[in-house]
């Protein structure tokens, strides 16, 4: 079947492909599920369902498990995603640390998270990551097949080649991680901007739970600020892969120096480093710990101090909350999404920062409805970036083939 990146021609096979994708997604969301339930949900004949299910079983994608209870007639057998011994590796590269875990074929974590310092030189980082990945796979002996490695990076990624075009907080320009990581691990490798991967994973995770959520934005606040935009169910990339880089919209012409080299970007006001620098009364610097903070003092410590009546810490967070809200207004006025998700350590202080962020958003949102846009924190313990990395490998398997 001929396909193009922008449209596809309907053929006799098209509806079968779409139904296959729908069945797979329904099993993913509702497993364990019977053929009869699938037929009811999709409103198509049992025979048609059985043909699709049998194909998926023979492809090794889903399997039949326990027999269920039926009030009368034949007992149904339940269907599952075949995730028993297969895994994917998820990696989240940040300026300070790199995090990794294994996930199942639904993108859910199956191991704890391992972390290591991020070597700024990719020639050191790649072998260090490969070693950790081998250890993870060896330690989890029940896994006998690994479907791939998904990597999220804090920067712009060229979609066709997966080259990292520019990762300001790492000081990387035009870095190829895919080939060396594939060579070092023997795995197929997918690389994407962390904000985009988070938007993809979030939309994918809630698609079945909350109906179709097609317009979402994910704002990931950590060492830098990553933003992923999904409109009509498609990730926004732009012609040159920089679309959605809201971390670098100017809040002020002569604000703090940003990792990208410009002054006054949103990131330079709300990143963890920015909040720490504000607390310690230091200028924002890059590549070294915030002076006065020491390498051990993190945003979590600052949040703990704010809760412990440290008024300076509370004031630093309050400012971050205000700038967060101002930037969110820009995002919402631009895309008018159904929901904006916020990820990162800052969400641990959501109860402290939400009222101020909401107020700043309301001041700048262009309508009352825009001001009331759903803004939801995604807890750091949910590892949205690692889930995003896993989704890079597993989500395409659920998409209609040739379209993903
Ligand atoms: Zn910037």
């Amino acid at each position: 079947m001929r396909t193009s990146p922008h449209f596809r021609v309907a053929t006799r096979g098209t509806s079968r492909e779409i139904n296959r994708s729908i069945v797979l997604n329904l099993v993913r969301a509702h497993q364990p599920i019977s053929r009869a339930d699938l037929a009811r949900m999709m409103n198509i004949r049992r025979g048609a369902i059985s043909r699709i299910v049998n194909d998926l079983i023979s492809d090794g994608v889903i399997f039949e498990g326990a027999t269920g209870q039926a009030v009368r007639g034949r007992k149904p057998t339940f269907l599952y995603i075949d995730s028993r011994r297969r895994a994917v590796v998820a990696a989240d590269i940040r300026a300070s640390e790199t995090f990794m875990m294994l996930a199942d074929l639904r993108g859910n974590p199956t191991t704890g998270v391992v972390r290591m310092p991020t070597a700024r030189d990719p020639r050191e980082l790649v072998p260090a990551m490969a070693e950790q990945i081998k250890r993870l796979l060896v330690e989890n002996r029940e896994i006998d097949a690994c479907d791939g490695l998904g990597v999220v990076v804090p920067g712009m990624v060229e979609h066709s080649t997966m080259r990292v075009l520019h990762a300001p907080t790492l000081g990387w320009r035009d870095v190829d991680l895919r080939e060396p990581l594939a060579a070092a691990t023997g795995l197929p490798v997918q690389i994407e901007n962390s904000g985009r991967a988070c938007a993809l994973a979030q939309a994918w995770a809630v698609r079945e739970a909350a109906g179709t959520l097609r317009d979402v934005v994910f704002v990931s606040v950590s060492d830098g600020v990553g933003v992923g935009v999904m409109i009509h169910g498609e990730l926004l990339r732009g012609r040159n892969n920089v679309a959605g880089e809201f971390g670098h919209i100017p809040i002020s012409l002569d604000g703090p120096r940003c990792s990208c080299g410009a002054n006054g970007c949103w990131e330079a006001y709300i990143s963890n480093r920015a909040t720490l620098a504000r607390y310690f009364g230091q200028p924002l610097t890059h590549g070294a710990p915030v002076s006065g903070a020491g390498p051990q003092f993190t945003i979590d410590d600052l949040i703990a101090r704010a809760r412990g009546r440290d008024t300076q810490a509370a004031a630093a967070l309050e400012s971050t909350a205000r700038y967060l809200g101002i930037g969110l207004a820009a995002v919402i006025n631009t895309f008018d999404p159904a929901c904006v998700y916020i990820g990162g350590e800052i969400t641990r202080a959501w109860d402290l920062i939400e009222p101020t962020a909401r107020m700043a958003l309301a001041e700048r949102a262009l309508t009352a409805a825009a001001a009331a846009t759903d803004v939801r924190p995604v807890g750091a313990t949910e590892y949205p970036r690692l889930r995003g990395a896993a989704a890079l490998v597993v989500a395409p398997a659920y998409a209609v083939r040739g379209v993903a």
Side-chain angles (χ1 to χ4, degrees):
M1 183 170 58
R2 287 171 64 96
T3 59
S4 93
H6 303 297
F7 68 94
R8 63 201 299 255
V9 178
T11 65
R12 278 172 60 88
T14 308
S15 64
R16 202 184 316 140
E17 282 295 314
I18 291 170
N19 284 340
R20 179 188 158 103
S21 159
I22 293 170
V23 167
L24 199 47
N25 278 293
L26 285 172
V27 175
R28 173 172 72 84
H30 299 284
Q31 69 176 27
I33 187 170
S34 68
R35 288 173 176 79
D37 289 333
L38 285 170
R40 203 173 311 123
M41 285 170 145
M42 292 176 67
N43 196 23
I44 61 176
R45 286 176 295 107
R46 272 289 295 272
I49 285 288
S50 281
R51 270 196 300 280
I52 298 166
V53 164
N54 292 344
D55 277 356
L56 288 166
I57 290 172
S58 66
D59 288 353
V61 185
I62 61 176
F63 74 103
E64 289 181 285
T67 306
Q69 297 293 321
V71 180
R72 57 183 173 276
R74 207 159 44 133
K75 288 184 174 176
T77 48
F78 287 125
L79 303 163
Y80 301 78
I81 299 296
D82 191 355
S83 182
R84 290 163 297 178
R85 293 188 298 276
R86 290 167 64 186
V88 300
V89 185
D92 168 19
I93 299 176
R94 305 192 196 183
S96 53
E97 285 185 291
T98 295
F99 300 79
M100 280 180 277
M101 68 171 191
L102 297 185
D104 66 17
L105 296 190
R106 300 164 72 207
N108 296 323
T110 53
T111 61
V113 174
V114 295
R115 51 204 285 178
M116 59 182 206
T118 300
R120 291 298 171 100
D121 185 342
R123 287 167 302 185
E124 287 174 35
L125 179 62
V126 166
M129 285 176 70
E131 198 185 311
Q132 282 282 8
I133 289 164
K134 277 178 193 154
R135 198 175 302 153
L136 268 176
L137 291 170
V138 166
E139 281 169 2
N140 292 277
R141 293 195 175 280
E142 69 283 4
I143 288 159
D144 52 31
C146 181
D147 283 26
L149 164 63
V151 181
V152 299
V153 294
M156 290 132 259
V157 175
E158 186 172 58
H159 186 50
S160 54
T161 62
M162 296 187 188
R163 289 179 81 84
V164 182
L165 297 171
H166 186 195
T169 53
L170 282 159
W172 290 356
R173 275 190 190 272
D174 201 26
V175 169
D176 179 21
L177 284 180
R178 190 191 201 184
E179 284 298 323
L181 274 174
T185 60
L187 296 170
V189 178
Q190 305 289 326
I191 300 179
E192 182 55 281
N193 168 275
S194 48
R196 274 186 205 150
C198 287
L200 171 73
Q202 205 65 38
W204 191 59
V206 299
R207 190 169 292 165
E208 295 304 329
T212 314
L213 196 52
R214 293 156 62 84
D215 299 335
V216 300
V217 176
F218 199 104
V219 178
S220 178
V221 181
S222 68
D223 297 321
V225 173
V227 178
V229 180
M230 184 171 271
I231 298 293
H232 302 316
E234 296 270 344
L235 280 179
L236 186 70
R237 299 180 191 282
R239 180 177 164 83
N240 296 300
N241 302 285
V242 298
E245 283 290 342
F246 273 83
H248 302 285
I249 55 160
I251 295 288
S252 158
L253 286 180
D254 38 30
R257 184 90 159 166
C258 180
S259 63
C260 72
N263 284 81
C265 298
W266 193 27
E267 172 177 311
Y269 286 95
I270 67 163
S271 72
N272 293 347
R273 299 179 67 88
T275 306
L276 287 171
R278 192 179 298 122
Y279 174 61
F280 285 102
Q282 302 290 332
L284 181 61
T285 55
H286 301 285
V290 173
S291 90
Q296 303 307 323
F297 193 91
T298 66
I299 189 75
D300 289 332
D301 299 314
L302 188 148
I303 293 167
R305 286 196 186 181
R307 291 194 188 285
R309 296 191 196 154
D310 179 335
T311 51
Q312 302 269 41
L317 271 183
E318 180 90 2
S319 291
T320 298
R322 176 157 175 75
Y323 290 118
L324 178 67
I326 288 170
L328 286 177
V331 168
I332 289 166
N333 287 339
T334 306
F335 298 110
D336 194 6
C339 183
V340 181
Y341 293 96
I342 313 282
E345 291 76 11
I346 198 90
T347 57
R348 293 200 177 104
W350 192 247
D351 58 319
L352 301 179
I353 63 177
E354 187 187 11
T356 305
R358 275 263 163 218
M359 209 182 300
L361 163 59
E363 280 169 19
R364 307 235 167 188
L366 292 170
T367 63
T373 300
D374 200 1
V375 178
R376 287 187 215 173
V378 178
T381 52
E382 291 178 48
Y383 297 107
R385 292 159 70 113
L386 283 169
R387 283 177 186 270
L392 297 177
V393 181
V394 298
Y398 297 91
V400 180
R401 284 182 291 188
V403 174

